[in-house]
Amino acid sequence: MESLPDAAVLATRLKNTLIQYHSIEDDKWRVAKKMKDVTIWRKPSEEFNGYLFKAQGVIDDGVNNIIDHIRPGPCRLDWDSLMTSLDILEHFEENCCVMRYTTAGQLWNIISPREFVDFSYTVGYKEGLLSCGISLDWNEKRPEFVRGYNHPCGWFCVPLRDNPNRSLLTGYIQTDLRGMIPQSAVDTAMASTLINFYGDLQKALQKA
């Protein structure tokens, strides 16, 4: 039996870490990739030998619907092209769960499929919502996957002041893919993956 975290303590610590990321001054970030509606920045992570990425863009939908598509659940698998499976291993109170998910290979399979086991928490933030997560050291492993590790990450979603039917979605991601991959390949893949995430999410919401 795996030892589960104290959900309330972990949730509070995770939320506070994400709010801290959200208050990092603009001049600390460097643009990694920019498209018409989405910008990706990065800065060295304080958690591991890689980058903390920040993504921001406007999505044409309300906060609740957007976060329902992002947080763990059946919606996410339907539209996220990178995710190949998602299982909820444990449910806690207050929108907390432990989930296991797998991702497809990337960059012509230079990055092979990965498995993650994450604690996930969704909570109100200002006029919107924050959905955040962190990987757990889960002993049970499957040999066909490399186990990756998400350092504190999350998505802030708040309505635009002048149009509450549109929302500003800001994400903070710092994923250690582990395995034998050059860090430069990881950084290239991450910026592109985050741009695609916004496009896939917007398409899914338009269909819904």
Side-chain angles (χ1 to χ4, degrees), residues 103-118:
T103 59
Q106 299 174 69
L107 288 182
W108 306 282
N109 236 31
I110 292 170
I111 300 174
S112 61
R114 291 295 192 268
E115 175 187 65
F116 297 84
V117 177
D118 285 10

mmCIF file of all heavy atoms in Angstrom, residues 103-118:
data_model
loop_
_atom_site.group_PDB
_atom_site.id
_atom_site.type_symbol
_atom_site.label_atom_id
_atom_site.label_comp_id
_atom_site.label_asym_id
_atom_site.label_seq_id
_atom_site.Cartn_x
_atom_site.Cartn_y
_atom_site.Cartn_z
ATOM 1 N N THR A 103 2.011 9.919 -21.153
ATOM 2 C CA THR A 103 2.116 10.833 -22.292
ATOM 3 C C THR A 103 2.753 10.114 -23.475
ATOM 4 O O THR A 103 3.521 9.173 -23.312
ATOM 5 C CB THR A 103 2.962 12.073 -21.939
ATOM 6 O OG1 THR A 103 4.271 11.641 -21.543
ATOM 7 C CG2 THR A 103 2.322 12.874 -20.817
ATOM 8 N N ALA A 104 2.417 10.596 -24.670
ATOM 9 C CA ALA A 104 2.936 10.018 -25.902
ATOM 10 C C ALA A 104 4.406 10.414 -26.082
ATOM 11 O O ALA A 104 4.895 11.366 -25.465
ATOM 12 C CB ALA A 104 2.106 10.523 -27.083
ATOM 13 N N GLY A 105 5.098 9.692 -26.965
ATOM 14 C CA GLY A 105 6.460 10.074 -27.336
ATOM 15 C C GLY A 105 6.443 11.415 -28.071
ATOM 16 O O GLY A 105 5.448 11.779 -28.695
ATOM 17 N N GLN A 106 7.537 12.159 -27.979
ATOM 18 C CA GLN A 106 7.623 13.478 -28.608
ATOM 19 C C GLN A 106 8.912 13.594 -29.409
ATOM 20 O O GLN A 106 9.856 12.835 -29.197
ATOM 21 C CB GLN A 106 7.632 14.576 -27.540
ATOM 22 C CG GLN A 106 6.392 14.625 -26.679
ATOM 23 C CD GLN A 106 6.577 15.635 -25.563
ATOM 24 O OE1 GLN A 106 6.629 16.833 -25.786
ATOM 25 N NE2 GLN A 106 6.689 15.146 -24.344
ATOM 26 N N LEU A 107 8.970 14.601 -30.269
ATOM 27 C CA LEU A 107 10.162 14.872 -31.100
ATOM 28 C C LEU A 107 10.607 13.595 -31.807
ATOM 29 O O LEU A 107 11.726 13.131 -31.644
ATOM 30 C CB LEU A 107 11.318 15.424 -30.242
ATOM 31 C CG LEU A 107 11.207 16.852 -29.706
ATOM 32 C CD1 LEU A 107 12.473 17.195 -28.945
ATOM 33 C CD2 LEU A 107 10.993 17.854 -30.830
ATOM 34 N N TRP A 108 9.698 13.015 -32.610
ATOM 35 C CA TRP A 108 9.998 11.786 -33.351
ATOM 36 C C TRP A 108 10.514 10.689 -32.419
ATOM 37 O O TRP A 108 11.401 9.914 -32.751
ATOM 38 C CB TRP A 108 11.008 12.065 -34.479
ATOM 39 C CG TRP A 108 10.546 13.160 -35.370
ATOM 40 C CD1 TRP A 108 9.611 13.081 -36.368
ATOM 41 C CD2 TRP A 108 10.961 14.529 -35.321
ATOM 42 N NE1 TRP A 108 9.430 14.314 -36.934
ATOM 43 C CE2 TRP A 108 10.246 15.218 -36.322
ATOM 44 C CE3 TRP A 108 11.872 15.239 -34.546
ATOM 45 C CZ2 TRP A 108 10.398 16.586 -36.551
ATOM 46 C CZ3 TRP A 108 12.027 16.597 -34.770
ATOM 47 C CH2 TRP A 108 11.300 17.250 -35.760
ATOM 48 N N ASN A 109 9.930 10.661 -31.247
ATOM 49 C CA ASN A 109 10.233 9.647 -30.218
ATOM 50 C C ASN A 109 11.648 9.742 -29.645
ATOM 51 O O ASN A 109 12.130 8.801 -29.011
ATOM 52 C CB ASN A 109 9.959 8.221 -30.714
ATOM 53 C CG ASN A 109 8.987 7.515 -29.777
ATOM 54 O OD1 ASN A 109 8.128 8.156 -29.167
ATOM 55 N ND2 ASN A 109 9.117 6.223 -29.646
ATOM 56 N N ILE A 110 12.306 10.896 -29.852
ATOM 57 C CA ILE A 110 13.547 11.144 -29.092
ATOM 58 C C ILE A 110 13.183 11.132 -27.604
ATOM 59 O O ILE A 110 13.927 10.638 -26.760
ATOM 60 C CB ILE A 110 14.174 12.502 -29.485
ATOM 61 C CG1 ILE A 110 14.693 12.431 -30.930
ATOM 62 C CG2 ILE A 110 15.300 12.891 -28.532
ATOM 63 C CD1 ILE A 110 15.106 13.761 -31.504
ATOM 64 N N ILE A 111 12.001 11.717 -27.299
ATOM 65 C CA ILE A 111 11.456 11.644 -25.935
ATOM 66 C C ILE A 111 10.417 10.524 -25.948
ATOM 67 O O ILE A 111 9.374 10.640 -26.580
ATOM 68 C CB ILE A 111 10.819 12.984 -25.519
ATOM 69 C CG1 ILE A 111 11.874 14.101 -25.556
ATOM 70 C CG2 ILE A 111 10.193 12.879 -24.133
ATOM 71 C CD1 ILE A 111 11.331 15.492 -25.309
ATOM 72 N N SER A 112 10.725 9.423 -25.272
ATOM 73 C CA SER A 112 9.830 8.261 -25.277
ATOM 74 C C SER A 112 8.629 8.511 -24.353
ATOM 75 O O SER A 112 8.616 9.473 -23.581
ATOM 76 C CB SER A 112 10.609 7.027 -24.828
ATOM 77 O OG SER A 112 11.087 7.215 -23.512
ATOM 78 N N PRO A 113 7.599 7.648 -24.419
ATOM 79 C CA PRO A 113 6.433 7.830 -23.541
ATOM 80 C C PRO A 113 6.816 7.913 -22.062
ATOM 81 O O PRO A 113 7.744 7.235 -21.611
ATOM 82 C CB PRO A 113 5.587 6.594 -23.825
ATOM 83 C CG PRO A 113 5.947 6.221 -25.236
ATOM 84 C CD PRO A 113 7.413 6.536 -25.353
ATOM 85 N N ARG A 114 6.109 8.747 -21.330
ATOM 86 C CA ARG A 114 6.378 8.975 -19.916
ATOM 87 C C ARG A 114 5.136 8.658 -19.077
ATOM 88 O O ARG A 114 4.003 8.742 -19.547
ATOM 89 C CB ARG A 114 6.754 10.445 -19.658
ATOM 90 C CG ARG A 114 8.112 10.877 -20.227
ATOM 91 C CD ARG A 114 9.232 10.123 -19.535
ATOM 92 N NE ARG A 114 10.568 10.642 -19.792
ATOM 93 C CZ ARG A 114 11.371 10.227 -20.773
ATOM 94 N NH1 ARG A 114 10.946 9.339 -21.649
ATOM 95 N NH2 ARG A 114 12.591 10.700 -20.891
ATOM 96 N N GLU A 115 5.386 8.343 -17.801
ATOM 97 C CA GLU A 115 4.309 8.142 -16.829
ATOM 98 C C GLU A 115 4.543 9.097 -15.660
ATOM 99 O O GLU A 115 5.676 9.331 -15.256
ATOM 100 C CB GLU A 115 4.340 6.696 -16.327
ATOM 101 C CG GLU A 115 3.327 6.419 -15.222
ATOM 102 C CD GLU A 115 3.495 5.025 -14.627
ATOM 103 O OE1 GLU A 115 4.540 4.757 -14.005
ATOM 104 O OE2 GLU A 115 2.561 4.225 -14.787
ATOM 105 N N PHE A 116 3.454 9.677 -15.155
ATOM 106 C CA PHE A 116 3.515 10.578 -14.000
ATOM 107 C C PHE A 116 2.464 10.148 -12.981
ATOM 108 O O PHE A 116 1.375 9.698 -13.350
ATOM 109 C CB PHE A 116 3.202 12.025 -14.420
ATOM 110 C CG PHE A 116 4.178 12.611 -15.391
ATOM 111 C CD1 PHE A 116 4.050 12.388 -16.749
ATOM 112 C CD2 PHE A 116 5.237 13.396 -14.946
ATOM 113 C CE1 PHE A 116 4.950 12.922 -17.657
ATOM 114 C CE2 PHE A 116 6.146 13.949 -15.847
ATOM 115 C CZ PHE A 116 5.997 13.709 -17.208
ATOM 116 N N VAL A 117 2.788 10.298 -11.702
ATOM 117 C CA VAL A 117 1.781 10.155 -10.635
ATOM 118 C C VAL A 117 1.770 11.474 -9.878
ATOM 119 O O VAL A 117 2.759 11.851 -9.245
ATOM 120 C CB VAL A 117 2.095 8.978 -9.689
ATOM 121 C CG1 VAL A 117 1.075 8.927 -8.558
ATOM 122 C CG2 VAL A 117 2.097 7.657 -10.458
ATOM 123 N N ASP A 118 0.651 12.198 -9.979
ATOM 124 C CA ASP A 118 0.560 13.561 -9.449
ATOM 125 C C ASP A 118 -0.551 13.721 -8.429
ATOM 126 O O ASP A 118 -1.626 13.113 -8.563
ATOM 127 C CB ASP A 118 0.278 14.566 -10.585
ATOM 128 C CG ASP A 118 1.497 14.851 -11.442
ATOM 129 O OD1 ASP A 118 2.509 14.148 -11.294
ATOM 130 O OD2 ASP A 118 1.429 15.770 -12.274
#
